[in-house]
Amino acid sequence: MSGRTDGREVFEYALLRVVPRVERGEQINAGVVVYCRAQSFVAARTHLDEARLLALDPEADVAGVRAALAAVENVCCGGERAGQAAGDDAGRRFRWLVAPRSTVVQPGPVHTGLTRDAEAETERLLDLLVR
């Protein structure tokens, strides 16, 4: 095999998980972050199933979780909405977002794949793994 990808580029992605009570370890998938270096692309798409979240923790801070998920999307967008990450390139923003943390919204492990269209891949992964 010659290493050809037939126009497809390597991309990386991580799920965004909501862990309402860290000590219990229960979680739901609530989004995906996708990065494709060749396309200088980074994006996050989120979908919070409020009923599932409240089933895990009836006292969950739904507004706080929504704000944390929106913050991830804003960092991906860059510019003023990204806050301190505004000047960082797409790869650096992705690496910061997927760094392990022990908050209510956590990134999962990073996975890789091949795609021709990173934007479409983001939507496909959201539908497949989150919704």
Side-chain angles (χ1 to χ4, degrees):
M1 183 164 260
S2 68
R4 287 184 25 209
T5 60
D6 299 324
R8 296 179 295 169
E9 303 291 346
V10 173
F11 75 96
E12 300 173 71
Y13 72 95
L15 285 169
L16 296 174
R17 299 172 175 164
V18 177
V19 185
R21 293 180 56 192
V22 175
E23 71 279 8
R24 291 182 60 145
E26 298 169 331
Q27 62 191 17
I28 62 170
N29 293 342
V32 63
V33 181
V34 173
Y35 169 61
C36 181
R37 179 178 176 192
Q39 297 175 15
S40 296
F41 176 87
V42 65
R45 298 291 182 274
T46 62
H47 172 80
L48 180 61
D49 186 332
E50 190 174 314
R52 289 181 69 203
L53 174 59
L54 293 172
L56 292 180
D57 181 1
E59 296 178 18
D61 179 4
V62 175
V65 170
R66 287 194 186 283
L69 292 170
V72 171
E73 291 184 15
N74 288 340
V75 168
C76 288
C77 290
E80 288 181 24
R81 295 170 53 188
Q84 291 180 322
D88 292 342
D89 64 31
R92 195 171 169 122
R93 290 194 313 269
F94 177 77
R95 297 283 171 240
W96 183 78
L97 290 169
V98 300
R101 50 186 52 91
S102 61
T103 59
V104 172
V105 175
Q106 301 177 4
V110 175
H111 304 281
T112 61
L114 295 172
T115 188
R116 287 184 181 85
D117 182 348
E119 180 74 32
E121 198 66 44
T122 306
E123 294 298 328
R124 185 187 77 80
L125 290 169
L126 183 69
D127 287 340
L128 179 68
L129 302 172
V130 178
R131 288 190 178 134

